[in-house]
Amino acid sequence: MELLMEFDDIKKIWDTQNNEPLYAINESALHRRIEKELVSSRRANNVSDITLTIISVGVAGFISVYDTPLNVYDYAMIAALLFAVVYIWMNRLLRKKPEEHADKSVRRDLDHAIANVEYEIRRSRTMVWWYIIPLAIPALLNMTEGSPAPWQWVMVSGGFVLSWFVIQWGLTRHLIPQKKNLETIRIKLDEEV
């Protein structure tokens, strides 16, 4: 909402001769604000990529070092984690490629910021299928091999459920409102043009 209010402040000026409001866009101020949104959305993408990679590699390393001897479920979890890392970085490369030839304009930067937020929304919505379930199934099956205490079942399954809730919270509280805000700016910008 902050960007939308700033956009409204940027475009309203007062005609002192006729005593009525006029509307104009201070393009440089608007472009600076949209560039901040673009940098913020890029940073969010980078943090997500790096964090998921560190977690995945760290957990895969932990399993391979501390859960010996490895069984088929351990190998399945390690494979799922390494697949997730490859998936994250392949998508990163595909996402970054168009940035190399991007022209600098208010509309281009705004569209790019929206695309970055849309990417995070898609990733969050599909994460249960390419990350949580491929890890949860072998982890829970692995627990059936031993005799874990009830609290261990609660902790492991609760961790997967909690991760899903955290993803949903991020979607509803941050990503979707951010996308709506940026799209409203695009609509207002199109109206002005």
Side-chain angles (χ1 to χ4, degrees):
M1 227 30 170
E2 175 185 320
L3 179 60
L4 184 57
M5 287 189 290
E6 287 183 25
F7 181 74
D8 288 339
D9 291 341
I10 289 171
K11 68 176 189 162
K12 188 173 182 178
I13 59 173
W14 193 260
D15 183 356
T16 53
Q17 291 178 346
N18 299 335
N19 246 358
E20 57 187 45
L22 294 175
Y23 294 91
I25 296 175
N26 179 340
E27 274 199 47
S28 62
L30 177 61
H31 199 187
R32 281 192 307 274
R33 185 62 188 132
I34 289 173
E35 283 177 333
K36 282 184 183 179
E37 288 294 319
L38 178 58
V39 167
S40 173
S41 65
R42 279 184 183 149
R43 188 177 310 119
N45 289 150
N46 291 336
V47 167
S48 292
D49 291 343
I50 292 167
T51 302
L52 284 169
T53 299
I54 290 170
I55 289 169
S56 299
V57 170
V59 171
F62 181 83
I63 291 169
S64 63
V65 170
Y66 291 104
D67 196 10
T68 55
L70 298 177
N71 62 28
V72 68
Y73 303 120
D74 293 325
Y75 287 117
M77 284 188 290
I78 292 169
L81 288 162
L82 296 179
F83 170 78
V85 170
V86 170
Y87 179 77
I88 290 164
W89 288 91
M90 294 286 290
N91 280 308
R92 180 182 176 83
L93 292 174
L94 292 173
R95 189 181 75 243
K96 293 272 186 191
K97 193 163 182 80
E99 291 179 20
E100 297 169 5
H101 302 82
D103 58 324
K104 297 298 283 178
S105 69
V106 172
R107 180 55 189 253
R108 172 73 180 112
D109 286 349
L110 181 58
D111 289 342
H112 192 175
I114 291 170
N116 286 342
V117 174
E118 286 173 341
Y119 174 79
E120 281 302 317
I121 289 172
R122 269 191 316 277
R123 176 174 20 204
S124 296
R125 286 185 173 154
T126 61
M127 195 170 196
V128 73
W129 301 109
W130 63 267
Y131 197 78
I132 296 175
I133 289 176
L135 287 177
I137 291 172
L140 295 173
L141 289 173
N142 197 14
M143 290 179 70
T144 62
E145 293 286 306
S147 54
W151 68 267
Q152 290 173 316
W153 281 101
V154 171
M155 290 292 288
V156 171
S157 55
F160 288 114
V161 172
L162 180 64
S163 64
W164 182 81
F165 277 111
V166 168
I167 291 167
Q168 296 307 307
W169 180 83
L171 268 170
T172 58
R173 295 289 182 177
H174 177 66
L175 293 172
I176 292 172
Q178 183 181 14
K179 180 184 173 203
K180 286 180 181 176
N181 188 22
L182 291 170
E183 286 176 336
T184 302
I185 299 294
R186 182 167 52 190
I187 290 167
K188 289 190 176 218
L189 189 61
D190 288 346
E191 287 172 358
E192 291 297 320
V193 174

